[in-house]
Protein backbone atom coordinates (compact mmCIF):
# COMPACT_ATOMS: atom_id res chain seq x y z
CA UNK A 1 0.00 0.00 0.00
CA UNK A 2 1.29 3.44 -0.89
CA UNK A 3 0.54 6.32 1.43
CA UNK A 4 0.59 9.87 0.07
CA UNK A 5 1.10 12.99 2.08
CA UNK A 6 -1.99 15.26 1.88
CA UNK A 7 -1.85 18.60 0.12
CA UNK A 8 -3.11 21.81 1.74
CA UNK A 9 -6.52 23.35 1.01
CA UNK A 10 -7.45 26.87 -0.07
CA UNK A 11 -10.57 28.79 -0.97
CA UNK A 12 -12.25 32.05 -0.20
CA UNK A 13 -13.51 30.83 3.15
CA UNK A 14 -10.17 29.29 4.04
CA UNK A 15 -8.39 32.53 3.25
CA UNK A 16 -10.70 34.43 5.56
CA UNK A 17 -10.15 31.94 8.35
CA UNK A 18 -6.42 32.05 7.73
CA UNK A 19 -6.45 35.75 8.41
CA UNK A 20 -8.29 35.22 11.70
CA UNK A 21 -6.32 32.28 13.04
CA UNK A 22 -2.93 32.90 11.41
CA UNK A 23 -2.91 29.70 9.37
CA UNK A 24 -0.47 29.21 6.53
CA UNK A 25 -2.37 28.00 3.49
CA UNK A 26 -0.89 26.80 0.19
CA UNK A 27 -2.29 24.62 -2.57
CA UNK A 28 -1.61 23.48 -6.12
CA UNK A 29 -2.11 26.17 -8.72
CA UNK A 30 -2.88 23.61 -11.40
CA UNK A 31 -3.11 19.81 -11.70
CA UNK A 32 0.58 19.46 -12.55
CA UNK A 33 1.76 20.84 -9.19
CA UNK A 34 2.72 18.36 -6.50
CA UNK A 35 3.01 20.25 -3.17
CA UNK A 36 3.72 18.23 -0.05
CA UNK A 37 3.27 20.62 2.88
CA UNK A 38 0.62 19.50 5.40
CA UNK A 39 -2.69 21.31 5.27
CA UNK A 40 -3.96 23.30 8.26
CA UNK A 41 -6.61 22.03 10.62
CA UNK A 42 -9.97 23.76 10.61
CA UNK A 43 -12.27 23.95 13.61
CA UNK A 44 -15.28 21.65 13.61
CA UNK A 45 -18.32 23.80 12.79
CA UNK A 46 -21.29 23.79 15.12
CA UNK A 47 -23.89 24.26 12.40
CA UNK A 48 -22.30 24.52 8.95
CA UNK A 49 -22.35 22.10 6.09
CA UNK A 50 -18.70 21.90 5.15
CA UNK A 51 -16.68 19.00 6.42
CA UNK A 52 -14.56 19.61 9.51
CA UNK A 53 -11.01 18.37 9.70
CA UNK A 54 -9.82 16.75 12.92
CA UNK A 55 -9.73 19.43 15.58
CA UNK A 56 -9.38 19.89 19.33
CA UNK A 57 -12.35 22.26 19.37
CA UNK A 58 -15.45 20.82 21.03
CA UNK A 59 -18.76 20.56 19.20
CA UNK A 60 -22.22 19.92 20.66
CA UNK A 61 -23.49 16.38 20.31
CA UNK A 62 -26.84 15.94 18.56
CA UNK A 63 -27.42 12.69 20.49
CA UNK A 64 -25.47 10.33 22.68
CA UNK A 65 -25.73 7.71 25.40
CA UNK A 66 -24.70 8.77 28.89
CA UNK A 67 -21.58 6.63 28.88
CA UNK A 68 -18.14 8.09 29.60
CA UNK A 69 -15.53 8.00 26.84
CA UNK A 70 -12.42 5.99 27.74
CA UNK A 71 -9.00 7.12 26.56
CA UNK A 72 -8.08 5.81 23.12
CA UNK A 73 -5.58 2.97 23.23
CA UNK A 74 -2.64 3.06 20.85
CA UNK A 75 -3.55 -0.23 19.22
CA UNK A 76 -4.22 -0.26 15.46
CA UNK A 77 -6.61 -2.58 13.70
CA UNK A 78 -5.20 -6.10 14.18
CA UNK A 79 -5.87 -6.86 10.52
CA UNK A 80 -3.92 -3.77 9.48
CA UNK A 81 -0.88 -4.85 11.50
CA UNK A 82 -0.66 -8.35 10.07
CA UNK A 83 -1.78 -8.41 6.46
CA UNK A 84 -1.00 -11.79 4.90
CA UNK A 85 1.18 -11.99 1.84
CA UNK A 86 -1.03 -11.52 -1.23
CA UNK A 87 -1.86 -14.68 -3.10
CA UNK A 88 -1.22 -15.07 -6.81
CA UNK A 89 -4.90 -14.41 -7.45
CA UNK A 90 -5.02 -11.14 -5.47
CA UNK A 91 -5.92 -8.16 -7.67
CA UNK A 92 -5.05 -4.48 -7.16
CA UNK A 93 -7.74 -2.28 -5.61
CA UNK A 94 -7.47 1.52 -5.69
CA UNK A 95 -8.85 3.66 -2.84
CA UNK A 96 -9.56 7.35 -3.46
CA UNK A 97 -11.23 9.86 -1.20
CA UNK A 98 -11.13 12.51 1.50
CA UNK A 99 -10.19 12.53 5.20
CA UNK A 100 -12.50 9.58 5.95
CA UNK A 101 -10.50 7.58 3.42
CA UNK A 102 -7.30 8.96 4.93
CA UNK A 103 -8.17 7.70 8.41
CA UNK A 104 -9.58 4.33 7.27
CA UNK A 105 -6.99 3.30 4.66
CA UNK A 106 -4.92 1.02 6.92
CA UNK A 107 -7.95 -0.78 8.30
CA UNK A 108 -9.40 -1.30 4.83
CA UNK A 109 -6.03 -2.55 3.53
CA UNK A 110 -5.91 -5.06 6.37
CA UNK A 111 -9.44 -6.39 5.91
CA UNK A 112 -9.14 -6.58 2.13
CA UNK A 113 -5.72 -8.20 2.38
CA UNK A 114 -7.07 -10.81 4.77
CA UNK A 115 -9.45 -12.06 2.07
CA UNK A 116 -6.49 -12.98 -0.14
CA UNK A 117 -8.36 -11.54 -3.13
CA UNK A 118 -7.17 -7.93 -3.22
CA UNK A 119 -4.31 -5.65 -2.27
CA UNK A 120 -5.03 -1.99 -1.63
CA UNK A 121 -3.29 1.06 -3.08
CA UNK A 122 -4.50 4.21 -1.29
CA UNK A 123 -4.22 7.81 -2.47
CA UNK A 124 -6.59 9.85 -0.27
CA UNK A 125 -6.35 13.61 0.18
CA UNK A 126 -8.21 15.36 3.00
CA UNK A 127 -10.79 17.98 2.14
CA UNK A 128 -11.34 16.74 -1.41
CA UNK A 129 -14.41 16.28 -3.59
CA UNK A 130 -14.92 14.17 -6.72
CA UNK A 131 -13.78 17.05 -8.93
CA UNK A 132 -10.31 17.03 -7.34
CA UNK A 133 -9.63 13.60 -8.90
CA UNK A 134 -10.77 14.61 -12.40
CA UNK A 135 -8.10 15.14 -15.03
CA UNK A 136 -10.53 17.39 -16.89
CA UNK A 137 -10.55 19.85 -13.99
CA UNK A 138 -7.96 22.46 -14.91
CA UNK A 139 -8.41 24.86 -12.02
CA UNK A 140 -6.93 24.84 -8.53
CA UNK A 141 -7.02 21.42 -6.89
CA UNK A 142 -6.01 19.53 -3.77
CA UNK A 143 -4.85 16.46 -5.72
CA UNK A 144 -1.56 16.42 -7.67
CA UNK A 145 -1.45 15.09 -11.22
CA UNK A 146 0.13 11.78 -10.16
CA UNK A 147 -2.90 11.02 -7.95
CA UNK A 148 -5.69 11.85 -10.38
CA UNK A 149 -7.99 8.86 -10.89
CA UNK A 150 -7.02 8.34 -14.54
CA UNK A 151 -3.28 8.53 -13.78
CA UNK A 152 -3.60 5.95 -11.00
CA UNK A 153 -5.66 3.62 -13.17
CA UNK A 154 -2.78 3.62 -15.65
CA UNK A 155 -0.09 3.01 -13.02
CA UNK A 156 -1.85 0.80 -10.44
CA UNK A 157 -3.92 -1.10 -13.06
CA UNK A 158 -6.70 -1.82 -10.56
CA UNK A 159 -9.49 -4.34 -10.90
CA UNK A 160 -11.55 -2.35 -8.39
CA UNK A 161 -11.71 1.40 -7.67
CA UNK A 162 -13.23 2.36 -4.30
CA UNK A 163 -14.54 5.93 -3.97
CA UNK A 164 -15.16 7.47 -0.53
CA UNK A 165 -16.44 11.06 -0.61
CA UNK A 166 -18.39 12.65 2.22
CA UNK A 167 -19.49 15.59 0.10
CA UNK A 168 -17.06 18.48 0.63
CA UNK A 169 -18.08 21.82 -0.81
CA UNK A 170 -16.65 25.24 -1.61
CA UNK A 171 -14.61 26.42 1.37
CA UNK A 172 -12.78 23.10 1.66
CA UNK A 173 -11.81 22.50 -1.93
CA UNK A 174 -11.45 25.13 -4.68
CA UNK A 175 -12.72 22.76 -7.37
CA UNK A 176 -16.22 23.13 -5.88
CA UNK A 177 -16.18 26.91 -6.35
CA UNK A 178 -19.68 28.19 -7.03
CA UNK A 179 -21.36 25.06 -5.64
CA UNK A 180 -22.51 26.07 -2.17
CA UNK A 181 -23.13 23.30 0.31
CA UNK A 182 -26.65 21.86 0.26
CA UNK A 183 -27.96 23.82 -2.75
CA UNK A 184 -29.37 22.37 -5.95
CA UNK A 185 -26.14 23.30 -7.71
CA UNK A 186 -24.14 21.35 -5.13
CA UNK A 187 -26.05 18.12 -5.81
CA UNK A 188 -25.97 18.74 -9.56
CA UNK A 189 -22.18 19.11 -9.39
CA UNK A 190 -21.78 15.83 -7.53
CA UNK A 191 -23.99 14.02 -10.02
CA UNK A 192 -22.11 15.49 -13.00
CA UNK A 193 -18.70 14.83 -11.46
CA UNK A 194 -19.71 11.24 -10.62
CA UNK A 195 -20.53 10.69 -14.30
CA UNK A 196 -17.31 12.37 -15.43
CA UNK A 197 -15.14 10.40 -13.00
CA UNK A 198 -16.75 7.12 -14.07
CA UNK A 199 -15.97 7.97 -17.71
CA UNK A 200 -12.38 9.03 -17.02
CA UNK A 201 -11.71 5.76 -15.19
CA UNK A 202 -13.19 3.76 -18.07
CA UNK A 203 -11.25 5.69 -20.73
CA UNK A 204 -7.96 5.38 -18.84
CA UNK A 205 -8.42 1.64 -18.48
CA UNK A 206 -9.24 1.23 -22.15
CA UNK A 207 -6.20 3.26 -23.20
CA UNK A 208 -4.00 1.08 -20.97
CA UNK A 209 -5.42 -2.12 -22.43
CA UNK A 210 -7.16 -3.06 -19.17
CA UNK A 211 -10.57 -4.42 -18.37
CA UNK A 212 -12.73 -1.60 -17.02
CA UNK A 213 -12.37 -1.58 -13.22
CA UNK A 214 -15.45 -2.17 -11.12
CA UNK A 215 -16.19 1.10 -9.30
CA UNK A 216 -17.43 0.86 -5.72
CA UNK A 217 -19.36 3.91 -4.51
CA UNK A 218 -19.28 4.00 -0.71
CA UNK A 219 -22.29 5.42 1.12
CA UNK A 220 -21.84 7.96 3.88
CA UNK A 221 -22.73 7.80 7.57
CA UNK A 222 -25.36 10.10 9.10
CA UNK A 223 -24.64 13.82 9.05
CA UNK A 224 -24.85 15.21 12.60
CA UNK A 225 -26.37 18.52 11.49
CA UNK A 226 -28.04 17.99 8.11
CA UNK A 227 -29.45 14.45 7.76
CA UNK A 228 -31.11 15.15 4.41
CA UNK A 229 -27.79 16.10 2.81
CA UNK A 230 -26.49 12.56 3.24
CA UNK A 231 -29.72 11.08 1.89
CA UNK A 232 -29.24 13.05 -1.31
CA UNK A 233 -25.48 12.51 -1.64
CA UNK A 234 -25.93 8.77 -1.14
CA UNK A 235 -28.74 8.78 -3.70
CA UNK A 236 -26.34 10.33 -6.24
CA UNK A 237 -23.86 7.50 -5.61
CA UNK A 238 -26.49 4.75 -5.72
CA UNK A 239 -27.96 6.09 -8.96
CA UNK A 240 -24.52 6.37 -10.57
CA UNK A 241 -23.63 2.80 -9.56
CA UNK A 242 -26.88 1.47 -11.01
CA UNK A 243 -26.54 3.48 -14.24
CA UNK A 244 -23.01 2.29 -14.97
CA UNK A 245 -23.25 -1.29 -13.70
CA UNK A 246 -21.04 -0.66 -10.69
CA UNK A 247 -21.35 -1.38 -6.96
CA UNK A 248 -22.91 0.61 -4.13
CA UNK A 249 -21.43 -0.35 -0.76
CA UNK A 250 -23.78 0.84 1.99
CA UNK A 251 -21.06 1.15 4.63
CA UNK A 252 -22.74 4.22 6.12
CA UNK A 253 -25.69 2.10 7.24
CA UNK A 254 -23.48 0.32 9.77
CA UNK A 255 -22.70 3.69 11.41
CA UNK A 256 -26.27 4.69 12.26
CA UNK A 257 -29.04 3.17 14.39
CA UNK A 258 -30.70 0.07 12.96
CA UNK A 259 -34.14 1.68 13.23
CA UNK A 260 -33.16 5.05 11.74
CA UNK A 261 -30.35 4.90 9.21
CA UNK A 262 -29.98 8.69 8.97
CA UNK A 263 -29.98 9.60 12.66
CA UNK A 264 -26.56 10.59 13.96
CA UNK A 265 -25.31 9.16 17.26
CA UNK A 266 -21.92 9.09 18.92
CA UNK A 267 -22.40 5.55 20.24
CA UNK A 268 -24.26 2.41 19.19
CA UNK A 269 -24.92 -1.01 20.70
CA UNK A 270 -22.05 -3.37 20.00
CA UNK A 271 -22.67 -5.49 16.91
CA UNK A 272 -21.99 -9.21 16.60
CA UNK A 273 -18.39 -8.71 15.49
CA UNK A 274 -17.65 -6.34 18.37
CA UNK A 275 -19.19 -8.69 20.91
CA UNK A 276 -17.07 -11.51 19.51
CA UNK A 277 -13.98 -9.25 19.64
CA UNK A 278 -14.33 -7.48 23.01
CA UNK A 279 -11.58 -4.95 22.30
CA UNK A 280 -14.02 -3.32 19.84
CA UNK A 281 -16.91 -3.20 22.31
CA UNK A 282 -15.84 -0.02 24.10
CA UNK A 283 -18.25 -0.36 27.03
CA UNK A 284 -19.01 -4.10 27.37
CA UNK A 285 -21.99 -5.18 29.41
CA UNK A 286 -23.85 -8.45 29.99
CA UNK A 287 -25.95 -9.24 26.95
CA UNK A 288 -24.61 -6.43 24.80
CA UNK A 289 -22.56 -3.32 25.43
CA UNK A 290 -21.97 0.04 23.79
CA UNK A 291 -19.28 1.03 21.32
CA UNK A 292 -17.93 4.52 20.60
CA UNK A 293 -18.07 5.73 17.00
CA UNK A 294 -16.88 9.33 17.43
CA UNK A 295 -14.83 11.35 19.86
CA UNK A 296 -16.77 13.90 21.90
CA UNK A 297 -14.99 16.72 20.04
CA UNK A 298 -15.55 15.43 16.49
CA UNK A 299 -19.00 14.64 15.14
CA UNK A 300 -17.74 13.52 11.74
CA UNK A 301 -14.57 11.42 11.83
CA UNK A 302 -14.36 7.95 13.35
CA UNK A 303 -10.77 7.83 14.59
CA UNK A 304 -10.68 7.78 18.39
CA UNK A 305 -7.10 9.05 18.58
CA UNK A 306 -6.48 12.65 19.67
CA UNK A 307 -6.60 15.09 16.75
CA UNK A 308 -3.49 16.16 14.86
CA UNK A 309 -2.79 18.98 12.43
CA UNK A 310 -1.49 16.56 9.80
CA UNK A 311 -4.05 14.09 8.36
CA UNK A 312 -2.96 10.46 8.82
CA UNK A 313 -4.25 6.89 8.94
CA UNK A 314 -5.94 6.29 12.27
CA UNK A 315 -3.31 4.91 14.70
CA UNK A 316 -5.69 3.36 17.25
CA UNK A 317 -8.39 0.72 17.25
CA UNK A 318 -11.62 2.56 16.38
CA UNK A 319 -14.91 0.64 16.12
CA UNK A 320 -16.47 3.02 13.57
CA UNK A 321 -13.56 2.57 11.20
CA UNK A 322 -13.73 -1.18 11.73
CA UNK A 323 -17.44 -1.25 10.83
CA UNK A 324 -16.80 0.85 7.75
CA UNK A 325 -13.85 -1.24 6.56
CA UNK A 326 -15.69 -4.54 7.05
CA UNK A 327 -18.71 -3.30 5.08
CA UNK A 328 -16.60 -2.10 2.13
CA UNK A 329 -14.57 -5.31 2.22
CA UNK A 330 -17.74 -7.42 2.11
CA UNK A 331 -18.95 -5.59 -1.01
CA UNK A 332 -15.60 -5.86 -2.81
CA UNK A 333 -14.96 -9.45 -1.79
CA UNK A 334 -18.46 -10.50 -2.75
CA UNK A 335 -18.02 -9.07 -6.23
CA UNK A 336 -14.55 -10.60 -6.66
CA UNK A 337 -15.89 -14.01 -5.63
CA UNK A 338 -18.57 -13.77 -8.29
CA UNK A 339 -16.23 -12.37 -10.93
CA UNK A 340 -13.78 -15.23 -10.47
CA UNK A 341 -16.40 -17.92 -10.19
Amino acid sequence: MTQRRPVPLLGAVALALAGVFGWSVVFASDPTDTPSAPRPTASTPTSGGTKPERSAHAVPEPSTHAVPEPPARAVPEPSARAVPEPSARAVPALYLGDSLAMESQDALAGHLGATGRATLHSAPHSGTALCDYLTAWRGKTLVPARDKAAALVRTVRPRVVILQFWGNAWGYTPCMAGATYGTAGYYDRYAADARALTEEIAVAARAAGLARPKIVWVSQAPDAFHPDRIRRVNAVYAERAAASGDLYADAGRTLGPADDRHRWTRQLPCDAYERAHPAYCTHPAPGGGITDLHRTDDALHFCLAPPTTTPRPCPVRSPGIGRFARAVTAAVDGWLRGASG
Side-chain angles (χ1 to χ4, degrees):
M1 180 185 70
T2 300
Q3 177 185 340
R4 306 287 194 193
R5 294 190 64 184
V7 295
L9 72 93
L10 183 64
V13 174
L15 281 173
L17 291 175
V20 174
F21 293 102
W23 292 338
S24 174
V25 282
V26 184
F27 59 94
S29 61
D30 63 62
T32 63
D33 291 339
T34 56
S36 59
R39 67 191 296 262
T41 299
S43 300
T44 303
T46 56
S47 61
T50 53
K51 178 181 178 181
E53 288 303 305
R54 298 206 55 79
S55 168
H57 297 275
V59 296
E61 295 182 57
S63 65
T64 186
H65 297 274
V67 181
E69 180 183 12
R73 289 169 290 178
V75 181
E77 291 272 339
S79 57
R81 286 183 292 161
V83 179
E85 288 296 320
S87 68
R89 62 196 175 105
V91 299
L94 178 61
Y95 190 30
L96 308 179
D98 52 31
S99 60
L100 295 178
M102 176 68 73
E103 70 178 4
S104 63
Q105 61 184 302
D106 283 358
L108 183 56
H111 284 287
L112 271 178
T115 69
R117 291 185 175 81
T119 56
L120 192 67
H121 177 106
S122 297
H125 291 271
S126 295
T128 52
L130 294 170
C131 49
D132 282 297
Y133 283 88
L134 286 169
T135 301
W137 173 256
R138 304 305 302 174
K140 298 184 184 301
T141 178
L142 302 183
V143 175
R146 67 174 184 270
D147 283 354
K148 298 293 186 180
L152 287 171
V153 166
R154 291 190 294 268
T155 58
V156 177
R157 304 174 70 83
R159 190 69 188 91
V160 176
V161 177
I162 304 164
L163 302 176
Q164 152 60 51
F165 290 93
W166 182 84
N168 286 317
W170 171 236
Y172 276 82
T173 174
C175 79
M176 286 295 288
T180 305
Y181 164 86
T183 64
Y186 165 88
Y187 298 112
D188 289 345
R189 276 292 306 278
Y190 266 85
D193 290 343
R195 290 193 298 272
L197 195 57
T198 298
E199 181 62 18
E200 284 199 3
I201 289 169
V203 169
R206 190 161 57 245
L210 305 173
R212 180 193 181 280
K214 181 66 70 171
I215 299 173
V216 181
W217 293 93
V218 180
S219 75
Q220 303 306 295
D223 184 324
F225 303 105
H226 300 279
D228 189 58
R229 189 192 67 81
I230 286 301
R231 293 176 192 269
R232 296 185 65 179
V233 167
N234 285 341
V236 167
Y237 298 160
E239 289 166 7
R240 174 45 33 201
S244 55
D246 288 310
L247 299 179
Y248 177 71
D250 199 3
R253 177 174 292 278
T254 69
L255 300 164
D259 61 349
D260 188 353
R261 188 255 185 264
H262 292 97
R263 178 170 63 83
W264 183 93
T265 182
R266 191 174 73 82
Q267 299 169 314
L268 284 175
C270 296
D271 63 17
Y273 180 93
E274 291 155 357
R275 291 192 297 271
H277 300 79
Y280 287 88
C281 194
T282 322
H283 309 282
I290 297 295
T291 199
D292 292 330
L293 300 180
H294 303 277
R295 291 175 55 85
T296 57
D297 57 1
D298 189 338
L300 171 61
H301 299 90
F302 296 94
C303 185
L304 299 183
T308 63
T309 57
T310 302
R312 60 179 178 172
C314 186
V316 303
R317 180 180 287 119
S318 299
I321 289 177
R323 289 184 178 212
F324 172 89
R326 292 193 299 274
V328 175
T329 296
V332 173
D333 188 51
W335 180 78
L336 289 174
R337 287 173 182 266
S340 62

